[in-house]
Amino acid sequence: MNKYTKIAAIAAVSLTVASVGAYTAIPSTSAKSTPAYQKNLHKKGTLTIGLEGTYSPYSYRDKSGKLTGFEVDLSKAVAKKLNLKPEFTQTKFDSLVAGLGANKYDVVYNNMGKNKEREKHYTFASPYLYTKTVMITKPDSDIKSAADLKGKRSAQSASSNFGQAAKKAGTKIVSVPGFAEAIDLINSGKADVTLNSQDSWGVYKKAHPETKLKAKTTKLLDNTSASPMVNKKDKALAKKITKAQKELKKDGTMSKLSEKYFGSDLTKKP
């Protein structure tokens, strides 16, 4: 290698090192360009939604097997507002909260009510549905009020607000995965009562006009509300979901969905 070739080679190496140094010195902007509410998503670009899928009219499979329902359509509309693709994960009610804690999905849309224990570990977006609580029994039941619940067998998802209320009222909890199974136990005489929402009962009665079961409102939970539930660390996501729901409420989408699935507008606070 002659003198001039050697000088040229050294210059080329120096230029290469300088170029690499200049390149690596530039900070990545990908993190900054990602909205705060998307940073902790279970799957990039996707809003993963946990629900039962067997809880009509909130979420269920129609005759063709397609997942549908009020919360399915609502969460799809919310995902669209957030520029995310909706993806659903079905699981039994008692596994929903655990699944959220294990980051299997980003949000739970499953008629979830707030309680002190949940609020310790999770964050809630704004409510999207308001309803009353009913006690569902056989027509000849001696349960007339909440005072009559003590010692009775109540078919409930143990971790639900309804299950907690039934336990507090002194009932013996007969654990079930969902509403349909609770109704079956009452019909078979293996349970005396189940607590659930007035809207769920109304939809069931409409679908089963032959039923002899009856329902009576109770103030054990007074007026209850349903809210999307996310992890504590995902407060930015909860705020964006709240904003999206407000927009959907303002443009009439939420009211239309409620009318479609419940026959009345349950999106307005009493």
Side-chain angles (χ1 to χ4, degrees), residues 20-167:
V20 172
Y23 176 78
T24 54
I26 299 173
S28 173
T29 58
S30 59
K32 290 184 178 180
S33 62
T34 302
Y37 67 91
Q38 292 190 21
K39 289 182 179 179
N40 294 320
L41 291 180
H42 172 67
K43 187 183 293 186
K44 186 177 180 181
T46 301
L47 184 68
T48 312
I49 303 142
L51 41 67
E52 284 180 88
T54 56
Y55 189 22
S56 177
Y58 296 92
S59 63
Y60 61 98
R61 297 280 176 179
D62 62 18
K63 293 180 180 179
S64 68
K66 181 182 177 182
L67 186 65
T68 188
F70 174 76
E71 289 172 323
V72 174
D73 287 358
L74 174 59
S75 55
K76 282 182 178 179
V78 167
K80 187 176 181 180
K81 287 282 186 183
L82 300 183
N83 295 315
L84 296 171
K85 178 184 176 182
E87 183 177 287
F88 298 94
T89 298
Q90 282 186 245
T91 187
K92 292 181 179 180
F93 184 87
D94 288 338
S95 301
L96 274 173
V97 176
L100 183 61
N103 297 315
K104 290 183 178 180
Y105 25 82
D106 306 305
V107 59
V108 169
Y109 266 91
N110 202 81
N111 193 24
M112 302 298 289
K114 294 181 182 181
N115 61 38
K116 291 181 180 179
E117 187 59 31
R118 287 176 186 163
E119 288 184 289
K120 287 180 183 178
H121 307 286
Y122 302 95
T123 296
F124 289 84
S126 63
Y128 54 83
L129 203 67
Y130 300 89
T131 186
K132 293 181 179 179
T133 300
V134 293
M135 302 181 294
I136 303 170
T137 66
K138 281 190 172 183
D140 58 351
S141 173
D142 60 357
I143 299 174
K144 308 298 180 185
S145 68
D148 301 321
L149 290 172
K150 190 173 183 179
K152 302 295 185 182
R153 298 166 299 170
S154 186
Q156 308 290 162
S157 296
S159 62
S160 71
N161 278 3
F162 298 114
Q164 294 299 313
K167 185 177 180 180

